[in-house]
Amino acid sequence: MDHRPARHHRTEHFVEAAPGTRLWVEECGPADAEALLLIMGAQTSGLGWPDALVDTLAEHCRVIRYDHRDTGRSSRRFNEQPYAIADLAVDAVAVLDALGVARAHVVGLSLGGLLAQLLVADHPDRLLSATLIGTSSLSTTPYVDAAGHETPPERLPGTDPRLLALWAEPPRVRSLEEELAWRVEHWRLLSGEQLPFDAAEARALERRIVEHTGHHENSAAHAHADPSGLLRTEELAATDVPVLVVAGPAEPVFPPPHAQHLAQTVRGARLVEIPGMGHALPRQVLDPLAAAILAHAGAASYR
C-alpha cells in the first residue's frame, strides 16, 4: 500500500474474457520482457497491488495486473450471469491470450493464489513460474510437521475470528466515509499484528480504488461464486512448474502452517518467509517480496 508516483508508463486495455464479460487490464514495463501476471484476491481491484511493487517488478518484467469480474472497472454481472470460482482462473488465461502472451510468470495473493494453483494444475503450458502468497493448498494431502505427525487440511488453524465476524456483517448501504472506515478496519485485521499498521496508507489506497472504480459499492460476488471442483491434489503433486510459496508469520486468514502445507503438496515447491507479513501488502514487505518474486522468476527462466 505504497503511493509514491509510478515510475513506469502504464497502458490500459479492456479484454473480453467471456461473452458479456469485460476486464480492465493494465501493462507496465518493457514490452519485450517476460510477462508477469499479478492476480489479486477476492473482491479486490488489481490496484490492490501497490504501485511501488509493480514498479520494482517492471524493472525486469512486463507486469500485467487486472480487475477480476465484479471489481474495479471490470463487468459486474454476477446477478445476471453467476459464475464459479474456477471461471476466474479461465479469465486469467483470457487476459494472457488477449495480450498475446504465450507463457508468463504468475503471482497470486489470497484468492489469486488459489487461482494460480488452478493455472499450475490445468494450464502448466502457459506458465514460466508461479508464486503463491497468503493462500491454502488445493490438496487433500495431510500436513506433516517436523516430528512426522500428520494433520488433515481441514484441521489446520482457521481464520482469525475477528475477520470472520467482519465478513459476517449483514450487507447494508454505507456512505463513502463509512465504507472507507470499514475497509481500513479490514486492512488492519488482514495485516496481522507484527508490523505497525498505517491507517492513512490503507485509506489512501482505498480512496484510489474508489476513484478507479467510480463508486464505493463493495460487491460480494466472489463470496457467492460456486466454490466446487477446485481440488487438484494429483496435479499439484506432479507438476513441473517452478513454484514459490511465500509464508507470512502474521498471516490471519491462512495462519501457519498453511503455507508450509502448501509447499509440501506442490512438487518441487520452495518456501520463503517474509518477516512480519500478514495478508496485506504494506510498504515494509514490498522490497523483500519483490526480491523473492524476481529471484524465483529469474531462476525459473534460466533453469
Side-chain angles (χ1 to χ4, degrees):
M1 292 184 287
D2 187 292
H3 303 287
R4 289 171 288 184
R7 298 198 304 268
H8 294 276
H9 175 72
R10 284 148 162 72
T11 302
E12 299 182 17
H13 312 272
F14 282 97
V15 166
E16 296 295 326
T21 298
R22 191 174 75 154
L23 305 180
W24 174 87
V25 180
E26 180 196 83
E27 294 183 80
C28 178
D32 58 350
E34 290 183 339
L36 189 153
L37 179 68
L38 299 173
I39 309 179
M40 187 31 75
Q43 295 160 204
T44 305
S45 162
L47 295 191
W49 295 104
D51 281 350
L53 177 64
V54 171
D55 279 325
T56 300
L57 297 175
E59 296 288 344
H60 306 274
C61 299
R62 174 188 177 189
V63 180
I64 303 163
R65 59 180 172 177
Y66 68 101
D67 290 339
H68 291 297
R69 304 184 192 195
D70 291 280
T71 74
R73 295 181 184 171
S74 292
S75 298
R76 293 182 174 237
R77 301 189 62 196
F78 183 80
N79 291 338
E80 296 81 25
Q81 290 185 325
Y83 49 82
I85 292 296
D87 291 329
L88 298 176
V90 178
D91 286 351
V93 176
V95 170
L96 297 180
D97 288 344
L99 299 186
V101 176
R103 300 181 71 199
H105 301 285
V106 173
V107 180
L109 170 65
S110 194
L111 171 68
L114 182 154
L115 300 179
Q117 289 180 69
L118 292 180
L119 297 180
V120 167
D122 301 343
H123 301 278
D125 58 312
R126 304 302 301 272
L127 301 190
L128 295 168
S129 74
T131 299
L132 313 176
I133 310 167
T135 193
S136 61
S137 177
L138 298 180
S139 173
T140 58
T141 303
Y143 167 66
V144 182
D145 65 19
H149 299 137
E150 294 189 355
T151 303
E154 63 271 16
R155 293 185 60 190
L156 292 176
T159 299
D160 186 325
R162 295 173 297 175
L163 276 167
L164 296 177
L166 197 67
W167 296 339
E169 290 182 3
R172 66 182 182 87
V173 176
R174 300 187 183 100
S175 69
L176 173 59
E177 291 305 313
E178 289 173 333
E179 178 64 24
L180 289 172
W182 188 96
R183 295 188 191 187
V184 169
E185 175 63 10
H186 191 215
W187 281 120
R188 184 183 71 80
L189 295 176
L190 288 175
S191 295
E193 298 180 334
Q194 294 189 17
L195 295 174
F197 177 66
D198 189 333
E201 187 178 66
R203 188 180 183 84
L205 171 70
E206 288 300 336
R207 276 198 176 277
R208 184 178 174 213
I209 289 175
V210 168
E211 291 169 1
H212 167 77
T213 304
H215 59 80
H216 66 274
E217 178 186 351
N218 199 347
S219 170
H222 297 168
H224 299 297
D226 180 3
S228 63
L230 298 180
L231 287 176
R232 296 293 189 275
T233 302
E234 293 79 12
E235 294 88 345
L236 294 175
T239 188
D240 290 322
V241 176
V243 172
L244 176 69
V245 177
V246 175
E251 170 65 55
V253 179
F254 299 108
H258 277 276
Q260 291 75 12
H261 175 238
L262 176 56
Q264 288 179 359
T265 60
V266 180
R267 179 174 179 257
R270 296 191 306 109
L271 182 76
V272 63
E273 182 174 296
I274 304 297
M277 188 171 183
H279 199 79
L281 300 173
R283 62 183 179 276
Q284 298 97 321
V285 309
L286 298 185
D287 286 345
L289 179 60
I293 292 169
L294 291 171
H296 178 59
S301 297
Y302 296 106
R303 65 184 184 131

